[in-house]
Amino acid sequence: MDTLHFVIFKQDNFVRFNQENIRVDANRIIVFRDTFNILMPGETVELVCTMAQLLEACDSLCEYLKDYSPCYDRNSLRILDFPVSAQEMLTFCLHSDRWQVMHYLIQYCLSRDWCYFSSMFFSILNEGGGIIGFMKEFAYNPWPVERYAAMLGISLRKFNLLFKTRFGLSPKNWLIETRLMRARYLLNFSSMPVADVAEHCGFSNHAYFSGSFRKRFACSPSQWRNKNLLNLTQPESQE
């Protein structure tokens, strides 16, 4: 299972990567996919991106880059500027909404070097083969995991093992997370009733949807919608 390590260097340092010692100046960021070592004491910030988070942040990347010619070499390394302003934005995300942190870092890297990082992320996601594409296609159907395994023609045990080995979480947890993120989007940007949101996102049991949503976001679906509607209207009331 791959994870990405986003490392922000606030002071000059050296890293050991592919048997080479590489100098890294202060206020830089590196994305490591493989083993690395920071060689000197110094202030750094390391954030780990799981496969599930990468899938969420780059949901349409595989479709967008179907005919893309890769320029990413696993043995290569990109060091990007990460100025104080970017670090302050990261700190804001960490304190206000940690869900946004990986989105911000991934989008920052894509904006600074689209060719390299789109190829890097695409190569990781594409290693998932057809399973993740199949799951994404039918994610919002109110099916149990057993049905997905049966449609793929493999046992439930093997399906769970394959999925967790590759993506770092069970297919059930992936389905719940995917459906909840879709529900959150609809609560933010549509007037669809909460019960309809639950059904649209594959939750056949409204109580289970509300309980799962509360566990994930620390409030009920209705409270989430009201909070975000208040945030949207607040600037106008202050004028």
Side-chain angles (χ1 to χ4, degrees):
M1 178 189 63
D2 277 301
T3 54
L4 294 175
H5 298 260
F6 291 82
V7 183
I8 296 99
F9 293 82
K10 297 191 174 185
Q11 298 173 337
D12 295 348
N13 213 316
F14 288 85
V15 297
R16 181 76 173 169
F17 179 77
N18 281 346
Q19 300 181 345
E20 289 185 48
N21 294 339
I22 301 170
R23 177 183 171 84
V24 184
D25 293 332
N27 299 322
R28 302 290 190 273
I29 184 171
I30 307 179
V31 185
F32 296 98
R33 183 179 176 184
D34 295 299
T35 302
F36 68 96
N37 291 297
I38 299 173
L39 300 183
M40 298 170 55
E43 190 176 359
T44 60
V45 177
E46 180 179 348
L47 297 163
V48 178
C49 178
T50 66
M51 176 61 77
Q53 290 171 319
L54 184 62
L55 282 166
E56 179 190 322
C58 299
D59 183 59
S60 60
L61 194 61
C62 288
E63 288 81 3
Y64 186 78
L65 298 175
K66 280 180 179 178
D67 302 317
Y68 187 66
S69 178
C71 63
Y72 161 68
D73 177 358
R74 189 159 184 157
N75 294 318
S76 64
L77 196 65
R78 288 291 190 278
I79 301 175
L80 300 178
D81 290 339
F82 201 70
V84 173
S85 58
Q87 295 175 42
E88 290 175 344
M89 180 62 189
L90 177 62
T91 300
F92 171 75
C93 291
L94 285 167
H95 285 89
S96 62
D97 187 352
R98 294 186 68 89
W99 174 79
Q100 295 286 351
V101 171
M102 285 307 153
H103 284 254
Y104 171 66
L105 290 174
I106 288 168
Q107 290 171 10
Y108 181 88
C109 291
L110 288 170
S111 70
R112 296 302 307 272
D113 191 338
W114 169 262
C115 180
Y116 179 85
F117 286 103
S118 62
S119 183
M120 180 189 204
F121 301 149
F122 173 79
S123 69
I124 297 172
L125 294 172
N126 205 40
E127 288 170 5
I131 290 180
I132 198 65
F134 169 81
M135 292 290 285
K136 287 169 64 178
E137 182 178 357
F138 299 106
Y140 305 122
N141 291 335
W143 298 344
V145 175
E146 291 83 352
R147 180 162 180 177
Y148 293 91
M151 291 178 70
L152 287 167
I154 57 179
S155 70
L156 177 60
R157 183 175 180 277
K158 184 176 181 180
F159 180 48
N160 280 321
L161 180 61
L162 287 173
F163 200 95
K164 190 163 187 176
T165 299
R166 179 68 194 110
F167 301 110
L169 73 171
S170 70
K172 179 180 179 180
N173 288 339
W174 182 88
L175 281 169
I176 292 173
E177 180 71 7
T178 300
R179 291 167 178 173
L180 287 175
M181 297 309 299
R182 177 61 179 170
R184 188 173 87 155
Y185 175 85
L186 291 175
L187 291 169
N188 282 348
F189 299 108
S190 80
S191 58
M192 189 182 296
V194 172
D196 291 348
V197 168
E199 184 177 356
H200 180 84
C201 295
F203 292 95
S204 56
N205 184 308
H206 181 69
Y208 180 72
F209 166 64
S210 296
S212 298
F213 194 96
R214 184 183 294 276
K215 184 178 179 180
R216 177 65 174 83
F217 300 114
C219 65
S220 70
S222 296
Q223 289 169 334
W224 179 273
R225 169 169 278 170
N226 291 337
K227 179 177 67 173
N228 283 278
L229 287 175
L230 179 63
N231 288 341
L232 288 173
T233 58
Q234 189 175 11
E236 294 182 5
S237 64
Q238 292 177 342
E239 291 180 356

